[in-house]
Structures are given as structure tokens and as C-alpha cells.
Amino acid sequence: MTPEQITDPVAYHGEGPCWHPSWGGLRWVDMLAGDLLTLNGDGDVDRLHVGKIAAFVRPRSRGGYVVGLENTIALASSPFGDPVAEPAFWDDSNLRFNEGGCDPWGNLYCGSMAYDRTEGAGQLFRVSPSGEKTVVLPHVSTSNGIAFSPDGTLAYYNDTKLRQTDVFDVIDKRLINRRPFASSDGASNDGLTVDSEGNIWVAMNRHGKVRLYSPDAEILTEIQLPVQLVTACTLGGPDMRTLFITTSRENLEDPEPEAGAVFAVEVDVPGMPVAEYGG
């Protein structure tokens, strides 16, 4: 499978792609610029500045979207409205949100990291539809991709510093029994997504590829990209068979010409409709 570049290198640090029909298809973030990006039908990219950091974006079940900011989340009531920030989750200026995702029951999972990369300084939060905040993991270094199996019984998660993908059992809508799922062979496991057959697609940052695992952790295929900083991926398109991949040129002295672009490739197994935040 050979990915096609579908945007110019519009992002310094592209992250968190998410496909949803309410906003016309693909949306992602230019994280460190604090911008929310939307791909138009004509191929142009719209940019909305939301704050110092734009960590992730997900649709809301009641309409609109939720976006992660530096130290809180913000809610928009319509797909193209301006988001309104909630109260801050913390007051430590060394921390910022980094990635997030939703479970099948409308809870939002969002994780943090330290600007100075202090190990274990971040946390993974669960935010209920009513807005209740719970710390799920108290000590994470670089909280990244989280996604759930089609039947909702497993959750896959990357703390990039560990250079592996972990898996949880999901019992009574809670994450328990965390354990290693697959190692990265030295790559920095970044964003991930799960398809309708339960396979796990993982962005292998610094190794320039997306790796596909079976539910048994067998490596099924790898998609090579022309850039080294591959940050995240999601499945979308009219038939949910297009894998969209975001990339970055963060801190590269000599970035590849395509770094910061979005790539797309057609795959055999469709994805699932994105889980929405119930709040």
C-alpha cells in the first residue's frame, strides 16, 4: 500500500486526525500552533486558532465538537462554531494536554505530558458526559493514542515514552488489567486507531511508518511514508476504508519536503464510526 499526499505540508506538528460527517470529513490539529484544521471538499484546509495548544478533536453526540487545549477542554455547540473553554484541569505551567479519544459510552479520555518531558509527570483523565473528571492513570510520560475494540471489551493505549502499545480489559466501562500488547522495535508509538475487525493501526513516530497489528499482536503489514515523524492515523471516507495519516516536522533541522502533510491510503478493512463525546 502506497500512501498519497493529500495536503500541502500545512502543519508544524500535525496530530489527532478524526473523520466525522458533521464537519464534512477530515479534521486534525496543528498541535503546537494551537490550530484546528479541516479539509474542505475542494482540497483546501481551513484553520481555526483555539489556543496555545490544540491537542485533539472529537465530535459531540449532541452536535459540535470537543477540543483539547493546553490545560483544559473546550466545547463547541456546532461543527464550525468557536469552542468555549471549561475550567482548567490543573495549574502547573509545565504540563499540557497531548492526545485524546472517546469510548463507546460517550466518555472522553485525554492525557497530558510535561513540556520538559519529565517522566511520569502527566496523567490520563476520563471525563464523563456530565463533566466529572477521574484520573485513570496517575503517572504517564507522553500520553498518546487511545482506542477501543469493536465490542468495547478492550482498550489500546500508547504512552510514547514506553515504546510499546498497551492493552486494557474494559469491565463495567472501566479500564483494568493493563499489560503490554506489542513492542515498537525502537520506534515511538504515537497515535492509533482500531478497525471494524479489531486490528490496531499504530503510527510509528521516528520510523516513518504505520504498523498494522492483528488482535493477537501479529504484524499484518506496514505502510511506509516519505517522512520520519508519523504522528497519528484514523479511518474514514464514505466507506470508512481510507486511512488518513498525519505527520510532523517538529524540531527537525532538515525536515523532509512533505513533513507536516496529511497522507491517505485505501485499505481492505473498514473502520468504525468515531466514538463521540456525550457531553
Side-chain angles (χ1 to χ4, degrees):
M1 292 181 282
T2 302
E4 172 190 2
Q5 183 180 336
I6 63 169
T7 74
D8 292 333
V10 294
Y12 175 71
H13 184 55
E15 265 280 12
C18 183
W19 175 275
H20 199 259
S22 69
W23 53 57
L26 185 67
R27 186 168 273 181
W28 68 109
V29 297
D30 190 353
M31 184 177 285
L32 302 179
D35 291 347
L36 183 60
L37 307 181
T38 304
L39 182 63
N40 287 329
D42 59 8
D44 290 337
V45 176
D46 287 338
R47 184 181 291 265
L48 175 66
H49 186 68
V50 296
K52 181 179 178 180
I53 294 291
F56 56 84
V57 62
R58 288 296 185 275
R60 298 173 68 190
S61 60
R62 65 184 64 186
Y65 61 91
V66 56
V67 60
L69 305 181
E70 183 180 36
N71 64 358
T72 188
I73 60 174
L75 303 175
S77 58
S78 65
F80 297 96
D82 291 330
V84 177
E86 296 285 294
F89 284 47
W90 62 79
D91 58 8
D92 186 340
S93 62
N94 189 40
L95 297 178
R96 66 170 177 85
F97 270 129
N98 191 60
E99 249 287 16
C102 296
D103 70 17
W105 306 281
N107 298 295
L108 173 68
Y109 286 81
C110 41
S112 61
M113 62 174 287
Y115 280 107
D116 66 3
R117 308 291 174 135
T118 298
E119 291 188 26
Q123 297 175 308
L124 178 67
F125 295 86
R126 180 177 60 246
V127 186
S128 73
S130 65
E132 180 184 2
K133 304 176 185 69
T134 303
V135 175
V136 178
L137 298 176
H139 301 292
V140 299
S141 296
T142 307
S143 189
N144 246 307
I146 185 167
F148 290 76
S149 62
D151 63 3
T153 63
L154 298 171
Y156 299 93
Y157 174 70
N158 286 336
D159 180 348
T160 297
K161 184 68 177 180
L162 301 179
R163 298 183 186 270
Q164 66 186 28
T165 295
D166 289 341
V167 61
F168 296 82
D169 294 317
V170 183
I171 305 294
D172 295 330
K173 304 178 184 179
R174 295 293 187 265
L175 309 188
I176 65 169
N177 190 25
R178 180 180 181 178
R179 57 203 183 272
F181 172 72
S183 66
S184 69
D185 301 325
S188 297
N189 292 25
D190 208 318
L192 59 81
T193 193
V194 177
D195 65 32
S196 59
E197 292 185 356
N199 304 306
I200 303 92
W201 302 78
V202 181
M204 312 298 281
N205 201 321
R206 303 193 179 278
H207 280 203
K209 61 188 175 185
V210 174
R211 177 177 287 175
L212 176 62
Y213 293 99
S214 76
D216 296 322
E218 176 188 0
I219 298 175
L220 300 178
T221 192
E222 293 184 340
I223 299 172
Q224 197 70 41
L225 285 94
V227 301
Q228 57 182 305
L229 301 186
V230 177
T231 56
C233 55
T234 195
L235 286 156
D239 59 1
M240 299 299 292
R241 292 179 182 270
T242 303
L243 185 73
F244 296 99
I245 306 164
T246 51
T247 67
S248 172
R249 57 178 182 270
E250 181 188 8
N251 295 332
L252 292 180
E253 293 184 4
D254 185 22
E256 306 93 343
E258 305 92 341
V262 175
F263 293 80
V265 61
E266 297 302 307
V267 301
D268 295 331
V269 178
M272 301 176 289
V274 64
E276 301 173 341
Y277 175 48

